[in-house]
């Protein structure tokens, strides 16, 4: 498969006002990685890819490790430049996850990502990229601005939830919840503490997104996801050498 290129000027070098907004609110959206037209080939490829197994058997996890097309999505300038605008020029790609919520898909409970992650210190910038249109009907991401300024305890989640743990929101003003509506090729940028959530998919439309997680070289990964898990240089250099680094894949799986 040839790699699609955006027909937009999507450099996303953020303005000083946008950077201040990101650090004030814990997120920034919508930003553009590529046009909806450019996303068509990416979406078709990723849909087919998720029917294949990788070596860990987790089809939706870390497919940038074995598929060059997924890596090329992560490395889109619109994504990388937005990330470097808020965390600086040296970034390592740590994890990717497809969130493929079919019609009837479970609710993802309110949570802070930091609760689940084996890293120290907990400094991550995430881009949640829409492969499909994500809106209130098919379970778009929701956020509560400013919640990145507190550590929220997590408790056991109910069986109807997609995760086993969820945030205890008793001390959170959920009336401030915002819907993040995204067109294909758009993304939300957020950090490791921003409280977010998505409803069950009550529509007849799929909602697929790709979460791209980048860390600073100063962050140590305490537990790798598999024996072959390696980080990749997304931007700049790695002056620290704390983590296992590997090259990006050169071929697509399909």
């Amino acid at each position: 498969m040839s790699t699609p290129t955006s027909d937009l000027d999507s450099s996303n070098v953020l303005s000083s006002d946008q950077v201040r907004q990101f650090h004030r609110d814990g997120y920034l959206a919508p930003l553009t990685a590529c046009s909806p037209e450019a996303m068509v080939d990416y979406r078709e490829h990723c849909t087919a890819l998720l029917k294949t197994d990788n070596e860990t058997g987790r089809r939706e996890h870390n497919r940038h490790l074995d598929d060059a097309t997924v890596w090329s999505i992560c490395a889109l300038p619109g994504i990388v430049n937005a990330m470097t605008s808020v965390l600086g020029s040296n970034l390592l790609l740590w994890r990717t996850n497809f969130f493929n919520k079919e019609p009837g898909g479970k609710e993802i409970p309110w949570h802070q990502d930091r609760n689940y992650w084996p890293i120290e210190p907990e400094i991550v910038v995430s881009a949640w990229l829409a492969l499909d249109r994500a809106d209130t009907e098919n379970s778009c991401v929701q956020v509560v601005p400013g919640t990145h300024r507190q550590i929220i305890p997590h408790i056991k989640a109910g069986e109807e939830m997609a995760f086993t743990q969820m945030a205890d929101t008793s001390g959170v003003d959920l009336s401030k919840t915002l819907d993040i509506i995204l067109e294909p090729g758009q993304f939300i940028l957020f950090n490791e503490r921003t409280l977010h959530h998505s409803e069950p998919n009550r529509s007849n439309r799929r909602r697929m997104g790709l979460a791209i997680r980048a860390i600073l070289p100063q962050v140590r990964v305490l537990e790798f996801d598999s024996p072959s898990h390696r980080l990749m240089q997304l931007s700049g250099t790695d002056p620290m050498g704390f983590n296992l680094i590997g090259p990006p894949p050169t071929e697509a799986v399909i």
Side-chain angles (χ1 to χ4, degrees):
M1 171 185 169
S2 60
T3 300
T5 57
S6 173
D7 56 9
L8 299 179
D9 178 13
S10 56
S11 59
N12 279 348
V13 176
L14 303 181
S15 69
S16 58
D17 285 344
Q18 287 176 306
V19 172
R20 282 193 291 270
Q21 181 181 345
F22 176 85
H23 290 300
R24 181 193 69 209
D25 296 337
Y27 81 97
L28 193 65
L31 298 169
T32 298
C34 66
S35 70
E37 294 75 21
M39 180 53 75
V40 171
D41 284 348
Y42 282 139
R43 180 168 57 245
E44 291 178 353
H45 177 87
C46 292
T47 298
L49 178 68
L50 294 186
K51 298 177 182 178
T52 68
D53 284 321
N54 59 6
E55 66 173 23
T56 67
R58 300 175 65 187
R59 293 183 175 188
E60 298 180 355
H61 187 62
N62 282 348
R63 296 311 299 265
H64 69 283
L65 294 176
D66 69 330
D67 185 82
T69 299
V70 176
W71 159 254
S72 72
I73 296 172
C74 300
L76 285 169
I79 295 173
V80 176
N81 290 340
M83 289 180 163
T84 59
S85 293
V86 298
L87 279 191
S89 60
N90 296 333
L91 288 178
L92 300 172
L93 179 59
W94 170 40
R95 279 179 171 173
T96 58
N97 293 88
F98 284 100
F99 287 95
N100 183 24
K101 190 178 286 194
E102 299 287 348
K106 290 184 176 183
E107 176 181 355
I108 294 180
W110 287 107
H111 66 284
Q112 292 177 314
D113 286 339
R114 59 157 296 278
N115 181 69
Y116 311 101
W117 286 347
I119 57 174
E120 179 61 36
E122 297 160 344
I123 303 173
V124 181
V125 61
S126 294
W128 195 100
L129 173 68
L131 279 71
D132 302 316
R133 174 177 165 83
D135 54 39
T136 56
E137 293 182 355
N138 70 339
S139 182
C140 64
V141 173
Q142 298 178 308
V143 300
V144 181
T147 46
H148 65 302
R149 297 189 179 278
Q150 60 187 114
I151 301 297
I152 300 173
H154 283 59
I155 58 178
K156 181 178 174 60
E159 293 184 0
E160 74 280 6
M161 299 289 187
F163 293 177
T164 59
Q165 292 185 332
M166 64 181 186
D168 179 355
T169 60
S170 58
V172 178
D173 182 1
L174 294 181
S175 70
K176 297 180 179 179
T177 297
L178 298 178
D179 298 317
I180 307 300
I181 298 173
L182 301 173
E183 298 296 334
Q186 292 184 324
F187 65 98
I188 175 176
L189 198 70
F190 59 97
N191 76 14
E192 68 283 345
R193 297 182 307 279
T194 304
L195 192 68
H196 59 290
H197 160 269
S198 65
E199 296 283 346
N201 187 354
R202 301 183 179 95
S203 77
N204 61 1
R205 294 181 291 122
R206 184 188 73 174
R207 188 228 63 184
M208 184 189 288
L210 175 63
I212 301 162
R213 321 285 194 187
I215 63 174
L216 296 171
Q218 291 89 337
V219 175
R220 292 180 185 267
V221 176
L222 304 178
E223 181 180 338
F224 283 80
D225 297 334
S226 68
S228 62
H229 185 194
R230 299 291 184 272
L231 278 58
M232 296 175 187
Q233 196 76 49
L234 194 60
S235 177
T237 63
D238 176 19
M240 309 306 292
F242 290 160
N243 298 296
L244 299 171
I245 308 295
T250 58
E251 298 181 0
V253 170
I254 57 173

